Amino acid sequence: MDEARWICQRFAMVSPDTSTPPTDRRSEPRPVKPIGFTGSHLDRAGNPRRKPEWLAAQRARQDARFLLLRELKALVTITRKPAAIRWLDLAWADAHAALPCIFLGLDENDIPHFALDGDAAGGDDSVAGMHTETDKFIDVRSIAALLIPEEAAILAQARSVIDWHQRHRFCAQCGSQTEMAEAGYTRRCIGETCKAAHFPRTDPVVIMLAVHYDEKTGAEKVLLGRQGRMPPGMYSALAGFMEPGESIEEAVRREIMEESGVITGAVRYLVSQPWPFPSSLMIGCIAEALDDRITVDQDELEDAQWFTREQAMAMLERGKQRLAPTDPPPADNPQNEPWMPPPLSLAHQIAKRWLAGD
Ligand SMILES: [Zn+2]
């Protein structure tokens, strides 16, 4: 893991911050890194990709590149530093022409990139055989922190779209089969009288910090909670799916009230993150707590507590020691002092921004 951390630290130093412009509240630039799963360099070419002739020409290009997924795991070369997507060439794709092919986008040199669903009919032992000593099918969440941010973002796009195709083979209106259309961003019902079009779904999730300001002392504290299924010692931002007919602000206030009993007022948006497991959009917010009385909903949370800025800062530092929440406690935290999720998570990023004065 030391090597993996080195990779992360290295990229934390050199990657451009595409999400937050500097403000005069900071005396010097903060360490910068795009939010996990954002920052793809591909142009999705949303208009031309709808034209079958344009798409066919891209698919036939000699320099086209293909990302292969199997059981929603992506083929990655793990012996490189950093790890890298193992792009396959046109010859491989043509030899497996039956695999569903999703257009990902064009890079800076107009080279087309695609994703192939290795689980579909047409996948065979040769798909499984791509898993070797150096190239492996790896869970996207596990490998994300070891890739350059641009490639992690591409995996998020590919995994979400392929997962959606796998789970939407039939029309929700009439039950007939559906088929892929528009480069993978639509499914059309084949029912003669229906022909409904279906589009990939994104499920919005609010994730937020309730912050309480004590007018007498000027001290701020932040509300964090933990679910019983979380690794020992981990506390995170509260979060929940938005419901139909609800604004972001309303969802934030409702979720905080349901899970912790804390009443909140003003809500402000900070930053968002695609979370491709399978297709969430995490919407990061800060909510002003109007009181600090906590009543934990034991069905949702095991515990919720207020933490001071200093405590939250220490918890973020402890979280940086892990690439994934499931990592064992690092050597410098054997007692599992409270810690927050690692930098890949939006909880980490919104806490970091709050501590920086955003
Ligand atoms: Zn239908």
Side-chain angles (χ1 to χ4, degrees):
M1 276 304 164
D2 286 341
E3 186 174 86
R5 285 195 193 104
W6 176 85
I7 293 169
C8 287
Q9 286 162 5
R10 176 168 171 261
F11 277 89
M13 285 186 283
V14 301
S15 299
D17 185 356
T18 58
S19 52
T20 311
T23 74
D24 57 10
R25 299 173 76 174
R26 297 186 288 267
S27 57
E28 58 186 37
R30 281 182 282 149
V32 289
K33 186 180 181 187
I35 297 285
F37 298 121
T38 70
S40 171
H41 62 300
L42 298 183
D43 171 2
R44 297 186 183 213
N47 287 330
R49 77 185 182 198
R50 296 195 193 107
K51 299 178 184 125
E53 62 278 13
W54 183 90
L55 190 65
Q58 302 301 316
R59 171 65 180 74
R61 276 179 57 154
Q62 287 296 324
D63 55 0
R65 307 174 87 194
F66 298 83
L67 160 63
L68 180 62
L69 282 89
R70 180 171 181 259
E71 297 175 348
L72 297 175
K73 297 173 181 173
L75 189 62
V76 171
T77 303
I78 57 164
T79 47
R80 287 180 56 180
K81 296 176 185 175
I85 293 174
R86 169 73 163 92
W87 294 104
L88 303 175
D89 62 14
L90 181 66
W92 198 96
D94 282 349
H96 300 79
L99 295 182
C101 183
I102 286 137
F103 179 70
L104 295 172
L106 304 172
D107 71 8
E108 300 82 350
N109 300 311
D110 283 342
I111 295 173
H113 291 61
F114 296 87
L116 298 172
D117 177 4
D119 296 325
D124 52 22
D125 289 346
S126 67
V127 170
M130 297 305 289
H131 189 91
T132 65
E133 279 296 305
T134 56
D135 301 331
K136 295 187 183 299
F137 291 103
I138 301 188
D139 171 65
V140 169
R141 192 180 334 208
S142 303
I143 196 66
L146 300 181
L147 298 166
I148 60 170
E150 291 88 340
E151 291 209 333
I154 290 170
L155 293 195
Q157 178 187 5
R159 189 193 188 285
S160 272
V161 177
I162 288 180
D163 177 90
W164 174 73
H165 283 290
Q166 291 186 355
R167 292 185 296 118
H168 292 80
R169 298 175 193 279
F170 297 94
C171 177
Q173 294 189 25
C174 76
S176 300
Q177 284 194 342
T178 58
E179 59 186 14
M180 184 188 293
E182 296 192 1
Y185 295 85
T186 303
R187 289 192 75 85
R188 287 227 175 78
C189 174
I190 63 170
E192 277 301 314
T193 56
C194 179
K195 297 192 184 301
H198 302 276
F199 304 98
R201 56 184 286 170
T202 295
D203 301 319
V205 174
V206 287
I207 177 166
M208 55 273 162
L209 300 175
V211 174
H212 185 267
Y213 178 75
D214 187 322
E215 289 187 355
K216 288 181 189 157
T217 65
E220 276 186 315
K221 55 188 179 182
V222 64
L223 182 67
L224 301 172
R226 57 169 282 107
Q227 297 171 330
R229 61 182 172 82
M230 288 179 176
M234 190 176 105
Y235 279 79
S236 189
L238 305 188
F241 284 103
M242 291 184 63
E243 294 193 347
E246 197 172 41
S247 71
I248 291 173
E249 293 86 346
E250 288 166 337
V252 166
R253 293 189 199 104
R254 175 182 57 75
E255 282 290 341
I256 295 174
M257 168 59 80
E258 286 176 2
E259 296 188 6
S260 70
V262 171
I263 301 167
T264 51
V267 172
R268 60 194 172 88
Y269 164 80
L270 273 189
V271 66
S272 68
Q273 176 188 39
W275 191 249
F277 311 101
S279 57
S280 295
L281 174 66
M282 311 299 290
I283 303 170
C285 296
I286 300 274
E288 176 194 10
L290 300 180
D291 71 49
D292 60 357
R293 286 167 292 180
I294 296 175
T295 307
V296 174
D297 175 1
Q298 299 288 345
D299 289 340
E300 300 234 22
L301 294 180
E302 180 182 274
D303 187 31
Q305 293 184 33
W306 294 104
F307 294 91
T308 65
R309 294 181 69 93
E310 292 70 26
Q311 288 172 322
M313 211 170 287
M315 292 166 74
L316 276 190
E317 282 303 314
R318 292 184 199 119
K320 281 185 193 166
Q321 306 305 315
R322 310 184 188 216
L323 285 177
T326 48
D327 279 359
D332 61 354
N333 184 18
Q335 301 304 317
N336 255 323
E337 295 278 318
W339 54 282
M340 284 198 71
L344 181 65
S345 75
L346 199 61
H348 186 107
Q349 298 297 334
I350 56 178
K352 185 169 124 182
R353 280 165 164 70
W354 170 64
L355 287 166
D358 284 0

